């Protein structure tokens, strides 16, 4: 897994960035403990993995 922007991740899911972040709201505490901050544009690989596994997003890797 590689680092990705929120925009790239949202495009892989076929939604807008706003929708992707809405999906993540129930998991915000967990994401914050993993190091995600509200205004991050580039997400580190471990957070990308978490989001892709939770929402079954295929990023081609």
């Amino acid at each position: 897994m590689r680092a990705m922007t929120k925009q790239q991740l949202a495009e892989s899911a076929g939604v807008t960035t706003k929708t992707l972040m809405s999906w993540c709201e129930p998991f915000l505490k967990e994401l914050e403990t993993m190091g995600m901050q509200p205004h991050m544009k580039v997400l580190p690989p471990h957070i990308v993995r978490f989001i892709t596994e939770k929402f079954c997003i295929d990023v081609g890797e």
Side-chain angles (χ1 to χ4, degrees), residues 21-41:
M21 291 300 100
S22 293
W23 290 355
C24 290
E25 282 183 25
F27 307 102
L28 282 182
K29 291 288 185 197
E30 192 170 354
L31 288 165
E32 286 172 359
T33 60
M34 295 172 75
M36 185 170 151
Q37 298 172 354
H39 299 290
M40 285 180 101
K41 292 190 189 232

Side-chain angles (χ1 to χ4, degrees), residues 3-61:
M4 297 178 77
T5 64
K6 288 179 183 177
Q7 181 66 39
Q8 289 171 321
L9 196 51
E11 286 174 2
S12 295
V15 298
T16 65
T17 304
K18 184 176 179 178
T19 299
L20 180 68
M21 291 300 100
S22 293
W23 290 355
C24 290
E25 282 183 25
F27 307 102
L28 282 182
K29 291 288 185 197
E30 192 170 354
L31 288 165
E32 286 172 359
T33 60
M34 295 172 75
M36 185 170 151
Q37 298 172 354
H39 299 290
M40 285 180 101
K41 292 190 189 232
V42 178
L43 302 175
H46 64 284
I47 293 176
V48 172
R49 180 177 312 247
F50 176 84
I51 293 172
T52 58
E53 288 177 359
K54 282 287 183 197
F55 303 112
C56 299
I57 300 171
D58 182 17
V59 292
E61 290 186 18

